[in-house]
């Protein structure tokens, strides 16, 4: 995004940067070894692309940057000999991989690399270096320190004030430890507000003056090259390292305002708001609402909450309702979601996490707070409109005649699996649903065509196994043993997840990004098996409102990450009635697949779809694979889909049996339709819900892939015409006016 002057990539291109104190000197933009120190082991420094990428994704999470499609980030650079950070390259917030690769190349060439913590907006400067006027948004407040003794002193202050950084970048350890600390913040209004927050943190910790909103800080995973003055003081080139604290809390901006050396953001020490906020700030409104209900009483500490709950083992004793109301309100005020609060209160309720009394204590109160939040946001938007009558352009609007490629489907498996879509696969128990998606996952990860569907790209897969995660793991191990696959970009995530909780989107995105960082491959397929388990955590699969809440969160997920979401579900006792539970979700499914077959052979059929024909897409049998032996010497077995093509063993005596050439011609027709299929001309002579190709396109595919092995062109053409005519007679295909389609006629 944008083109700016880049530092000379040849400076220090030898990449020889050794960790040897007192035997280094700055030489241009790089370093040379001087003196003789044979007793010291030389260590070659290399950038850590994993840390670089992780740092960028932590600062600019997809959910955070998604509302700002035109935002950009700043990767700043300085020459080691000068120390001046006067050049930068800018990237879209959605091009973090390119930014990471650029940073890796620049630091490898001998330059110091920095990243702007906040996103930028507006016209990009010629030099790439932003000012505070370019500030757009930040998810963090920060501080840095680099003096001797700072690390021990500031660590004590953090403990005393119960402050926990979400990110720690260690920029060096010699001659003393130096770090950058990032604190996750919500409620930052603008650049001036951020400066105030950073200044309060700086005063509390006595750290360096780095409070400006456009500040750039050292990018983790890059190499810290000291200038000659620092080398003289004992500094050496070092690899900067990243530490991510996933359990760190998210602080409210108001909590950080007014921090002092004697008072940190303890819950009992936070000044209480008792007058209605005038600026409609959402988080201040939450605090006002709480204090209005509780008068001048102080907020509860962790110990006080625990003391209230300890009075009511198993949901008994007097004042249970009042005490749990106070505890739940404190948790809501801290930003806890309803599901987390239910789990925390479960041991103190007669009926555990599903105690009906919790509905009013938690869910009703949470909904009230959400309603006030929305009202506050609307009020803030209205007040902004009054100040600036010019409406802000919406990134969600597009106009007739201007859609272009943005409306194109993005195939993973051509003709079947597309990014940005949701599928549902249903069947009775023991029909091979998870085996079916395990096979699809392996083909996606291995970039291998699947049953006539051409693979368009290699993509990662994340399987959210809400039950039987160990079975998925064993089946993937079986493919590794049987087919020799190694290091496929597939991850199994075991355990429950609550798709009714809006925070699930952020959780899922974070885990998908973790998989991408670990495998180095973009994730294209997410599987939820079994889908009903992801609803029943806090809802009911029979309730339309719960199905719709889950559907909304899945669509929100697709707005953040470009994947195909595959859900797996069970049919009821009557398989013909479809998926168990409310049928409300059918309206949000792009492809519905049913797996049938109580005998050995199973058939997967597309029974409903938006943009592909209804058809059988796979017939398969399961085979047992031996994974080894247990402690008693017995074989450990697991079933996966067999390699060979199969025909249904439920076929009647009149069913069509194709010979090898006919079957090959049909497979190539399926592939042709998947790649080039289109709707037929408007005419009542064509069947409904089909896609057609020209006979010539089919013949070209047969010629390219190989229907006949004959060296003579005339013989190959005759073999094609014979197979075409035989398939028509067998009612497997239809033809009209030079077009052909698949009839899927079974006798």
């Amino acid at each position: 995004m944008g083109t700016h002057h880049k530092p000379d990539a040849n400076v220090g291109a030898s990449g020889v940067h050794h960790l040897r104190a007192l035997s280094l000197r700055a030489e241009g933009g790089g370093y040379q070894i001087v003196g003789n120190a044979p007793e010291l082991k030389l260590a070659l420094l290399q950038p850590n692309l994993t840390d670089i990428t992780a740092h960028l994704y932590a600062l600019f999470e997809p959910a955070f940057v998604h509302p700002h499609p035109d935002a950009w980030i700043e990767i700043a650079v300085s020459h080691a000999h000068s120390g001046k950070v006067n050049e930068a390259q800018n990237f879209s917030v959605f091009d973090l991989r390119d930014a990471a690769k650029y940073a890796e190349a620049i630091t490898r060439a001998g330059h110091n690399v920095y990243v702007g913590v906040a996103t930028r907006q507006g016209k990009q400067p010629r030099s790439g270096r932003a000012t505070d006027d370019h500030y757009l948004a930040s998810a963090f407040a920060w501080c840095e320190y680099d003096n001797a003794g700072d690390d021990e002193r500031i660590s004590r202050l953090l403990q005393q004030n119960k402050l926990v950084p979400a990110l720690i970048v260690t920029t060096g350890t010699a001659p003393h430890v130096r770090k950058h600390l990032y604190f996750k913040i919500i409620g930052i209004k603008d650049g001036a507000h951020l400066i105030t927050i950073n200044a309060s943190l700086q005063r509390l910790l006595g750290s360096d003056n780095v409070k400006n909103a456009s500040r750039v800080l050292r990018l983790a995973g890059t190499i810290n090259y000291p200038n000659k003055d620092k080398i003289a003081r004992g500094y050496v080139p070092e690899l900067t390292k990243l530490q991510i604290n996933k359990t760190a809390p998210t602080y409210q901006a108001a909590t950080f305002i007014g921090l002092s050396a004697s008072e940190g953001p303890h819950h009992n020490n936070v000044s209480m708001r008792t007058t209605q906020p005038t600026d409609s700030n959402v988080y201040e409104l939450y605090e006002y609402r709480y204090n209005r209900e509780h008068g001048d009483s102080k907020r509860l500490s962790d110990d006080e909450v625990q003391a209230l709950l300890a009075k009511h083992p198993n949901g008994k004793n007097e004042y249970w309702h009042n005490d749990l109301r106070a505890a739940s309100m404190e948790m809501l005020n801290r930003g806890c979601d309803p599901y987390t609060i239910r789990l925390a209160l479960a041991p103190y309720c007669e009926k555990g996490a599903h105690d009906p009394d919790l509905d009013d204590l938690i869910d009703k109160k949470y909904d009230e707070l959400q309603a006030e939040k929305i009202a506050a946001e609307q009020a803030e938007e209205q007040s902004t409109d009054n100040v600036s009558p010019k409406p802000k352009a919406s990134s969600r609007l597009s106009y007739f005649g201007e859609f272009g490629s943005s409306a194109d489907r993005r195939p993973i498996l051509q003709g079947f699996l597309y990014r940005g879509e949701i599928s549902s696969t249903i069947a009775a128990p023991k029909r091979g649903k998870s085996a079916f998606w395990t096979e699809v996952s392996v083909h996606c990860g291995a970039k291998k065509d699947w049953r006539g569907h051409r693979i368009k790209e290699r993509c990662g897969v994340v399987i959210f196994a809400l039950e039987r995660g160990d079975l998925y793991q064993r089946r993937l191990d079986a493919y590794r043993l049987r087919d020799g696959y190694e290091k496929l970009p597939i991850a199994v995530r075991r355990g429950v997840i609550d798709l009714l909780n809006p925070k699930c989107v952020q959780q899922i995105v974070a885990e998908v990004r973790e998989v991408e960082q670990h495998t180095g491959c973009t994730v294209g397929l997410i599987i939820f098996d079994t889908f009903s388990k992801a609803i029943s955590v806090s809802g009911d699969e029979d309730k339309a409102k719960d199905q719709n809440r889950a559907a909304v969160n899945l669509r929100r997920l697709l707005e953040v990450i470009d994947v195909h979401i595959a859900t797996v579900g069970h049919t009821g006792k009557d398989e013909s009635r479809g998926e168990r539970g409310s049928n409300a979700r059918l309206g949000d499914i792009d492809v519905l697949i049913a797996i049938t077959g109580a005998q050995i052979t199973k058939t997967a059929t597309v029974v409903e779809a938006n943009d592909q024909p209804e058809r059988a897409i796979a017939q398969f049998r399961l085979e047992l694979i031996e994974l080894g032996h247990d402690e008693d010497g017995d074989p450990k077995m697991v079933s996966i889909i067999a390699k060979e093509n199969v025909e249904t063993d439920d076929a009647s005596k009149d069913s069509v049996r194709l010979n090898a050439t006919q079957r090959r011609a049909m497979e190539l027709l399926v592939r042709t339709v998947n790649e080039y299929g289109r709707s037929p001309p408007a005419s009542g002579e064509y069947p409904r819900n089909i896609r057609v190709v020209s006979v010539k396109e089919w013949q070209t595919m047969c010629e390219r892939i190989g229907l006949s092995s004959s060296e003579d062109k005339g013989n190959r053409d005759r073999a094609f015409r014979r197979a075409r005519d035989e398939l028509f007679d067998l009612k497997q295909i239809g033809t009209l006016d030079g077009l052909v389609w698949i009839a899927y006629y079974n006798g």
Side-chain angles (χ1 to χ4, degrees), residues 304-317:
E304 289 169 333
V305 170
Q306 187 59 44
L308 287 176
L309 297 178
K311 293 161 55 179
H312 306 283
N314 302 317
K316 298 179 179 179
N317 294 330

Side-chain angles (χ1 to χ4, degrees), residues 44-337:
L44 184 64
L45 284 179
Q46 296 291 338
N48 185 334
L49 182 59
T50 299
D51 270 7
I52 294 173
T53 305
H55 193 186
L56 292 177
Y57 273 108
L59 292 177
F60 312 112
E61 291 181 342
F64 174 69
V65 302
H66 182 69
H68 309 292
D70 297 325
W72 44 279
I73 67 171
E74 176 183 351
I75 304 296
V77 181
S78 78
H79 297 274
H81 70 280
S82 70
K84 295 181 179 179
V85 186
N86 50 18
E87 298 171 1
Q89 181 81 350
N90 304 140
F91 297 86
S92 164
V93 290
F94 303 104
D95 293 335
L96 299 185
R97 287 187 178 277
D98 290 343
K101 291 177 181 178
Y102 168 77
E104 180 193 28
I106 289 299
T107 192
R108 190 185 298 277
H111 300 281
N112 290 306
V113 182
Y114 307 82
V115 60
V117 183
T119 55
R120 279 51 166 145
Q121 64 180 340
K123 185 178 179 180
Q124 299 171 11
R126 182 179 299 274
S127 69
R129 288 305 324 275
T131 67
D132 284 359
D133 291 336
H134 292 101
Y135 172 87
L136 176 59
S138 177
F140 294 88
W142 60 81
C143 70
E144 74 167 58
Y145 54 85
D146 59 4
N147 293 319
D150 277 354
D151 189 54
E152 295 81 0
R153 178 181 59 80
I154 290 178
S155 294
R156 287 194 300 270
L157 285 171
L158 293 177
Q159 292 178 357
Q160 292 170 7
N161 290 278
K162 298 182 180 179
L163 282 172
V164 182
L167 306 176
I168 300 174
V169 177
T170 302
T171 60
T173 58
H176 47 261
V177 175
R178 308 180 300 281
K179 292 179 180 178
H180 296 171
L181 309 181
Y182 297 78
F183 300 86
K184 196 71 177 289
I185 304 290
I186 54 176
I188 301 174
K189 302 173 187 177
D190 51 33
H193 195 203
L194 175 60
I195 292 173
T196 303
I197 296 169
N198 283 337
S200 295
L201 187 61
Q202 175 189 333
R203 287 194 300 270
L204 173 71
L205 301 179
S207 53
D208 296 348
N209 183 12
V210 292
K211 60 179 180 288
N212 58 305
S214 60
R215 170 66 55 173
V216 294
L217 298 177
R218 187 82 60 172
L219 181 58
T222 62
I223 300 170
N224 184 343
Y225 301 105
N227 58 33
K228 60 182 180 181
D229 292 335
K230 288 187 175 181
I231 291 174
R233 302 203 308 269
Y235 287 69
V236 297
E238 296 186 66
L239 180 66
T240 59
K241 297 181 179 180
L242 175 67
Q243 178 184 343
I244 298 179
N245 185 357
K246 294 184 178 180
T247 62
T250 298
Y251 299 97
Q252 294 184 12
T255 302
F256 269 59
I257 301 296
L259 288 176
S260 68
S262 61
E263 183 177 330
H266 304 318
H267 286 294
N268 285 337
N269 291 335
V270 178
S271 60
M272 308 305 291
R273 175 178 290 276
T274 55
T275 58
Q276 175 133 21
T278 57
D279 58 1
S280 298
N281 179 276
V282 174
Y283 302 102
E284 291 182 356
L285 184 64
Y286 274 25
E287 187 178 4
Y288 162 73
R289 168 64 181 270
Y290 179 87
N291 296 325
R292 186 184 65 193
E293 293 194 3
H294 290 74
D296 295 329
S297 61
K298 290 184 177 181
R299 290 278 298 278
L300 301 178
S301 67
D302 292 347
D303 291 340
E304 289 169 333
V305 170
Q306 187 59 44
L308 287 176
L309 297 178
K311 293 161 55 179
H312 306 283
N314 302 317
K316 298 179 179 179
N317 294 330
E318 193 176 8
Y319 303 119
W320 176 89
H321 190 276
N322 289 341
D323 288 344
L324 264 71
R325 179 178 182 273
S328 62
M329 273 303 299
E330 174 61 36
M331 295 178 191
L332 282 170
N333 198 55
R334 295 188 188 185
C336 297
D337 61 273

Side-chain angles (χ1 to χ4, degrees), residues 25 32 89 110 114 124 147 162 181 240 276 433 466 596 632 667 677 681 702 708 712 729:
R25 74 178 181 206
Q32 284 189 350
Q89 181 81 350
Y114 307 82
Q124 299 171 11
N147 293 319
K162 298 182 180 179
L181 309 181
T240 59
Q276 175 133 21
K433 300 182 293 295
L466 285 88
T596 56
D632 297 325
E667 291 172 352
C702 291
S708 168
D712 182 74
D729 292 339

Side-chain angles (χ1 to χ4, degrees), residues 361-482:
L361 286 174
I362 302 173
D363 296 339
K364 184 178 179 180
K365 191 64 63 177
Y366 177 80
D367 291 340
E368 290 176 1
L369 292 175
Q370 289 296 310
E372 291 203 16
K373 172 184 175 182
I374 294 172
E377 291 173 339
Q378 292 173 344
E380 187 171 7
E381 290 176 0
Q382 292 174 0
S383 64
T384 302
D385 289 341
N386 292 334
V387 173
S388 176
K390 183 180 179 180
K392 183 179 180 180
S394 171
S395 62
R396 296 176 181 269
L397 291 175
S398 56
Y399 297 92
F400 182 86
E402 301 177 1
F403 303 136
S405 61
S406 64
D408 291 346
R409 301 176 80 193
R410 301 173 300 286
I412 298 173
L413 288 168
Q414 184 70 45
F416 170 51
L417 206 64
Y418 293 84
R419 291 178 183 266
E421 295 186 357
I422 300 174
S423 65
S424 175
T425 301
I426 60 173
K430 313 302 180 185
R431 292 291 195 271
K433 300 182 293 295
S434 63
F436 172 85
W437 279 106
T438 303
E439 183 187 64
V440 173
S441 299
V442 168
H443 281 248
C444 290
K447 196 179 180 181
K448 184 177 180 182
D449 292 352
W450 179 80
R451 298 181 179 270
H453 297 273
R454 184 161 60 91
I455 188 76
K456 299 290 289 186
E457 60 172 322
R458 181 176 186 254
C459 68
V461 182
V462 183
I463 302 169
F464 287 85
L466 285 88
E467 58 182 8
R468 305 300 303 277
D470 55 338
L471 179 58
Y472 268 107
Q473 292 171 332
R474 291 196 298 273
R475 282 182 167 148
L476 290 168
D477 276 343
Y479 279 96
R480 178 177 56 83
L481 294 172
R482 187 190 71 178

